[in-house]
Amino acid sequence: MYKIIRKEVLNSQVKLLEIEAPYIAKKAEPGQFIMLRVNEEGERIPLTIADYDREKGTVTIIFQEVGATTKILGSLNAGDSLLDFVGPLGKPTQLEGIKKAAVIGGGLGTAIAYPQAKKLSGIGSEVHVIAGFRNKDLIILEDRMSKVANKLVVTTDDGSNGTKGFVTDVLKKLLDEGNAYDAVIAIGPPVMMKAVCNLTKQYGIKTIVSLNPIMIDGTGMCGGCRVTVDGKIRFACVDGPDFDGHKVDFDELIRRLSMYKGYERKAEEHLCRLGGIANA
Amino acid sequence: MPNMSLKKVPMPEQNPEIRRQNFEEVALGYTEEMAVEEAQRCLNCKHRPCTSGCPVQVKIPEFITLTAQGKFEEAYNKIKETNSLPAVCGRVCPQESQCEQKCVRGIKGEPVAIGRLERFVADWAMKNLKKEPENSESNGKKVAVIGSGPAGLSCAGDLVKSGYDVTIFEAFHTAGGVLVYGIPEFRLPKKLVQKEIDGLLAQGVKIRTNMVIGKTLTVDELFDEGFSAVFIGSGAGLPAFMNIPGENLNGVYSANEYLTRINLMKAYKENAVTPIMRSKNVAVVGGGNVAMDAARSAIRLGAEKVYIVYRRSEKEMPARLEEIHHAKEEGIIFKLLTNPTRILGDDNGWVKGLECVQMELDEPDSSGRRSPVPKPGTEHILDVDTVIIAIGTSPNPLIRSTTKGLETDSRGCIVADENGKTSREGVFAGGDAVTGAATVILAMGAGKTAAKAIHEYIQSKNS
C-alpha cells in the first residue's frame, strides 16, 4: 500500500496528492510517469510525476477528475492509501545542454511541465514559462512556477485573468521579440501541443512534447500506447513519453485517445450509481 | 490387468454452445472413477519413455500407478517432487508433443492421458489436502527472482526448498506473469494459479509486486541490497506488430493488450472499470496458443464472427491440438494459408476490414516449416471491426538495457548456458527471456535447472 501524506485542491477539478513511494522517489526524473491502481477493482492509469522528494521518499501526482478512476482518486484524503503505485516509468526528459528554454503548459499539462521548469532552473538555464488555462478559476501552480521561471506568462482563453489568448500567441510574441530558445517543451492537450509544434517548426526550434496515450502496463508489454513518430511505430511508455514534437502524428494520437469514450462514460455512470465516488 | 481400451477416457467438457458464452473452465476434469480407469491404461513399461518427454522430469509411471491404486495423496506427492505447479501443467502443457508423444500406448490407439491425470491429482490435492508444506530451514542466503511467471515460480519453489531466502520481484500488481495476464480463465482458472502461489508464500517465498526491474531497481542494485544471486525470468513480453498499413487504427490490438485487459483487468466482467471493445467481427492474426486464446475470448465477449488468419496450413500451426479443436468447436472460423496485407479504416479511423492474400507453401525455411508465399491476385477483404495481432512476442528491453555486461542475442534474448548461467557473475536466466516465446513447461524446466545452478554457485562461493 502507498500512503497519501498530503492532499491539495488546486482548482475545482484538479487535485494534488503526495504519496509515500521511496523507491520511486529515489529514481524519479522529470518526464517520467507512474501507473497506479486505487483499489482491487480499479483500472491501471498512467500519471506523469509532478514532483518528487528524494529525502522524504515521496512522489507527487496532479490530476484532473475526468474519468471514473480519477474521480475516485480525487475523493481520497491524506492518510488513505493507494493499492498499487509503480515506477518511475518511461525515459526522463533530456534537458542537459539547454541554456534557454520556453516551457509551455496547457491546463493540467502545467503540472507536468513544472518539474521540467524546476530542473532546468536548477541546472542554470534561463526558463520562460507560458501556462495556458481556459479561465482564471482553472489556473494552477502559478506561485510555484513563478519561483523557478525567469519569466512567467499566464494566459486564459477568455481573458479572465488579464492576458487573453492561447499559449501559441504568447510564444510567437516572445519569439518575434528575439528570444532564441534552444528548445521548447510543450505539455498539454494534444491539440495544444500540435499547435505549438506547427509554430516552432516555422522557426526551426527543437520542440519536446510529452504524450499521454492509453496504456495498461506502462512497461512495453501491451502496445496500446503506440504512436507514430517519424513514420515509425513507437511505444510511448518505453520509447517516450517524450518525443520530437515535429515528428509526432498528433491526429492519430487524438483519434486513439478516443477509443474508449463510450465505454468510459458507462463505467463512470456505474460507479456513480454504486456511490463509489464520494465527491461526485 | 491393464485397461486395454485404445481410447482415453473422455474428458468431461462444457458444451461448446454454452461455453462460448461464459469464461468458466472448458474442461471439467476427471472424477475419481475416471482417473482410476484411465490410470489403468498405463502399462508401467520398463523403459519409461514418457519421462524423457517431460521438461521437469515428473515421475510419470510412479504417479500413475499410485493413481490407479486410488492413492491420490501419494500420487500428488510424487508429482510435487519435481513439479511445483502440477495444476497448471496438467492444463496448459502441450502433452501431445511431450510425455504423451512418447507413450507406448500411443503406437496403437491413444496414449495414456498423462496431462489429464496430472490435472486430476493436482485438483484432488487442492480440494482434499489442507496441510501446507513445512518451512525449510533457512540458510540465510538471499536470492532475487525477477518475474513471477512459470520460470520464476518454479525457480523460487526449488530454491526455497533448499533453504534460500527468496524474493520474487514482479512488475505487475499481481503475481503469476503470463499465467494471469495471458492465459484466459476458461483454460486456466486464476484461483488455481493463486493457490499455487499461496503455496509458495506459505513455504516462505516473498513476492514484491509493482517492482519493475530496470526501472524501480536495477539488477546491480539487487546485489547492493544483499542478494547473492539473481534469476531473470522476465519472459517475452514485448508484442510484435506486422508493419502493415493501418496497424494504428482504432480497433487494432496486440494479443497481449487484448488478453491483459480481459484476464488481468477482468474486462470481461459486467461493469469492469477497464474497458474492452465489444466487437462484431474479429480477425486474430497468428496460429499459436495465444491466437486461440484471443479468438476464443472474443467469441465469449459476444462477437458474431471470429476468424483465425494464419499464413501456413493447419499442420504447421504451433497451437496445441486441443486448443485448435476447442476453437473449432466454439465456431471460430479458420482462414488458413491467408496473410494480412493491410488493415482498412473508415473515415473516423476505426477498423472496417482486413485485406488478405492467399498463400501457398514453398520449401521448408530455417524453422523447418514450409515457408508461405503469396499468390498474386488473390487479395480479398474480411469484414471485421477488430484486428488482434498474435504473431509473437520478444523479451522486454528494460533489463538488458540497464544491466551492464549482460550478453543478449540479436533478438534481444539473454544468452545463457544450459544451466541458465549468463555472462554476468551471479546472474542466471531462463524461460522466454532466454528462448523467446515458448511454453509454460519449458520455462518451468529452465527455472528448475537454474535453481540447481544457483545453489551450486552460492555453495562454491562459500566453500
Side-chain angles (χ1 to χ4, degrees), chain A residues 2 23-24 26-27 32 37 41-44 68-69 83-92 214 216-217 219-224 226-228 233 235 238 252 255-256 258-260 263-264 266-267 270-271 273, chain B residues 171-174 181 208-212 215-218 221 225 237-239 241 243 247-254 256-257 260-261 264-265 270-279 348-350 396-398:
Chain A
Y2 303 82
Y23 278 100
I24 306 175
K26 207 172 143 190
K27 289 277 174 72
Q32 292 188 295
R37 211 167 62 122
E41 289 73 41
E43 64 180 333
R44 292 169 65 96
T69 301
L83 186 57
D84 298 298
F85 199 73
V86 57
L89 302 170
K91 291 181 176 162
I214 296 168
I216 301 264
D217 61 302
T219 62
M221 177 269 193
C222 79
R226 58 197 189 276
V227 288
T228 301
I233 290 186
F235 289 1
V238 287
E252 181 188 272
R255 171 168 57 67
R256 287 183 62 80
S258 74
M259 187 146 161
Y260 294 105
Y263 298 92
E264 278 161 13
K266 215 177 127 207
H270 171 65
L271 282 163
R273 280 200 308 278
Chain B
F172 263 129
H173 55 261
T174 303
Y181 76 70
R208 291 178 64 185
T209 53
N210 297 326
M211 295 296 276
V212 183
K215 285 289 180 188
T216 317
L217 281 177
T218 61
E221 286 166 332
E225 288 209 351
L238 201 72
F241 286 89
N243 294 316
E247 269 187 312
N248 279 7
L249 289 165
N250 289 8
V252 181
Y253 286 98
S254 72
N256 261 5
E257 180 183 0
T260 301
R261 283 178 180 273
L264 182 72
M265 306 310 297
E270 187 74 15
N271 296 323
V273 184
T274 300
I276 184 97
M277 266 184 73
R278 300 286 169 157
S279 316
N348 298 318
W350 289 80
N396 190 298
L398 289 180

Side-chain angles (χ1 to χ4, degrees), chain A residues 110-163:
Chain A
T110 306
I112 307 162
Y114 170 69
Q116 327 268 357
K118 186 176 163 189
K119 178 101 183 188
L120 282 166
S121 165
I123 60 174
S125 311
E126 185 180 346
V127 186
H128 293 179
V129 174
I130 308 166
F133 303 91
R134 284 208 311 280
N135 62 56
K136 72 171 172 21
D137 297 334
L138 299 177
I139 295 173
I140 54 168
L141 301 179
E142 196 175 1
D143 50 335
R144 266 167 267 207
M145 277 296 198
S146 66
K147 280 187 198 133
V148 297
N150 300 83
K151 179 197 272 294
L152 169 67
V153 184
V154 177
T155 70
T156 48
D157 297 359
D158 64 358
S160 51
N161 76 324
T163 316

Side-chain angles (χ1 to χ4, degrees), chain B residues 10-15 18-19 22 24-32 34 91 116 119-120 123 127 186-187 189 192 322 326:
Chain B
M11 178 63 122
E13 285 173 354
Q14 272 199 76
N15 178 297
I18 293 168
R19 73 183 192 236
N22 68 50
E24 282 150 41
E25 196 169 17
V26 167
L28 303 172
Y30 280 165
T31 60
E32 291 188 9
M34 290 172 182
R91 286 170 167 82
R116 293 174 184 177
R119 171 189 159 149
F120 165 79
D123 289 0
K127 217 168 115 200
F186 55 81
R187 204 148 74 79
L192 282 177
E322 185 181 315
H326 279 156

